[in-house]
Amino acid sequence: MPAYDAYDGTRLAYHLRGEGEPLVVLPGGPMRAGAYLGDLGGLAARRQLVLLDLRGTGDSASPADPATYRCDRLVDDVEALRDHLGLDRMDVLAHSAGGSLALLYAARYPQHIARLALITATPWALGMPATAEDRLAAARLREGEPWFADAFPAFEAWLTGHGDFDPAFLPFFYGRWDARAQAHADAEEEQTNDDAADVYGSDGAYDPPATRAALARLTAPVLVLAGGLDGGPRPDLARRVTEAVPHAEFAVQEGAGHYPWLDDPDGFTARVGDFFAK
C-alpha cells in the first residue's frame, strides 16, 4: 500500500486502481475512506485512479492535532500528494464533500490543476449549501418508489430538526435502491470518521469571497456533474458552480442519485472518461 508523509508527519495512504495516466481522486463523506469509490464504475479501465484516504480515515494515520481535519487544512495534504507523485499538473476528480476540498486546492494552487471534475459536489466552499428544501424537493421525485411512504416522513423529520438520522431514508441518496446500493450504504458507518467529519466544515474552513476571487485565475477545464435525482446538490445548485469557475461545463446524469457511478456505470465512465481524455 503506497503512502507518504504530510507536512506535519502524519502518514497518509492512497490506493491505486487500474493503469495509465494518474487521476487523483478526493473522497467525500465528509471524511469517508476512499474505498467507497471502488473503481468509479469502471473508470479505472481508462485511467489509474489514485484514491486518497484523508487523514484519520481508511489506512491513513490520525493526526496529533484534530484541528487539521478542517477542509482548508487538508489542502496541504493534497499538495503533498502531488509532490509525492512527482506531478507538475494533475487531473483531479472530487466527489461530494471532496468537491469543496478540490475547490480550495484549485484556488490556492491553480497552476497545478490540469483538469478537474466535480461529481455531485455540494459547493460549501463557495457559500452555497444544499438546503432542507432542496433535499425534500428532490426526495419528492421518488414518490413512485415502494419505500417512499416509510422513508419520506423520516427524512423530513431529520432535515427539519424533528427527528434523528434513520437508515430508512438512505434510498434517497441512490438512483436505484438495489442490492449493490444497499451494500454500499451499509459500509458507510465503518468507513467514516465522524469526529473528523464534525471538524471538516467547522468555523474558518471556508472563505467564499476569497475562494471565488482566487478561482478566477483558474485556467483548467472543469466538469460539474450532477445527479438528476440528487438533493445535495440538486442540478440547479450544481449548475451555479459554473458561474464561479471559469472554463466550466455542466452535465446532468439523469436517473442518478449522489453516487452516479453506481446508478449507470457505463454512462458515468463515458462522460467523465471523455472529459479527461480531451
Side-chain angles (χ1 to χ4, degrees), residues 47-271:
R47 297 291 295 266
Q48 182 180 63
L49 307 183
V50 182
L51 304 173
L52 177 61
D53 280 344
L54 298 174
R55 53 179 55 214
T57 73
D59 292 311
S60 289
S62 297
D65 181 4
T68 60
Y69 288 133
R70 207 173 69 180
C71 187
D72 60 320
R73 304 282 296 274
L74 296 174
V75 170
D76 292 323
D77 291 349
V78 179
E79 174 61 2
L81 174 60
R82 181 200 65 79
D83 184 66
H84 168 76
L85 295 173
L87 300 173
D88 178 45
R89 299 169 72 237
M90 60 183 179
D91 286 339
V92 177
L93 181 151
H95 174 245
S96 189
S100 284
L101 174 55
L103 287 169
L104 293 184
Y105 180 86
R108 195 182 304 177
Y109 298 104
Q111 72 276 19
H112 292 316
I113 295 286
R115 290 184 178 273
L116 170 62
L118 302 173
I119 308 301
T120 59
T122 301
W124 296 328
L126 299 176
M128 297 189 297
T131 65
E133 291 76 13
D134 286 336
R135 295 183 181 276
L136 290 173
R140 290 188 182 97
L141 299 175
R142 319 298 296 279
E143 287 182 337
E145 299 283 0
W147 42 261
F148 180 86
D150 291 330
F152 188 82
F155 197 41
E156 184 174 36
W158 179 63
L159 288 171
T160 57
H162 296 99
D164 295 327
F165 182 89
D166 189 333
F169 56 66
L170 286 174
F172 286 123
F173 293 90
Y174 297 86
R176 296 183 301 177
W177 189 235
D178 54 15
R180 186 177 183 185
Q182 291 170 37
H184 188 265
D186 287 344
E188 180 174 8
E189 183 175 0
E190 181 179 352
Q191 293 170 341
T192 303
N193 183 333
D194 290 328
D195 291 336
D198 289 340
V199 178
Y200 189 87
S202 57
D203 289 346
Y206 308 124
D207 183 347
T211 299
R212 287 173 178 271
L215 286 172
R217 300 175 294 152
L218 184 65
T219 59
V222 177
L223 170 65
V224 179
L225 178 69
L229 298 175
D230 193 16
R234 295 189 72 193
D236 286 348
L237 178 59
R239 187 190 301 273
R240 291 171 56 196
V241 175
T242 64
E243 300 169 2
V245 181
H247 314 294
E249 59 186 89
F250 176 71
V252 177
Q253 185 173 314
E254 299 296 343
H258 198 57
Y259 307 95
W261 63 90
L262 293 178
D263 297 317
D264 179 5
D266 292 341
F268 176 83
T269 56
R271 183 65 184 86

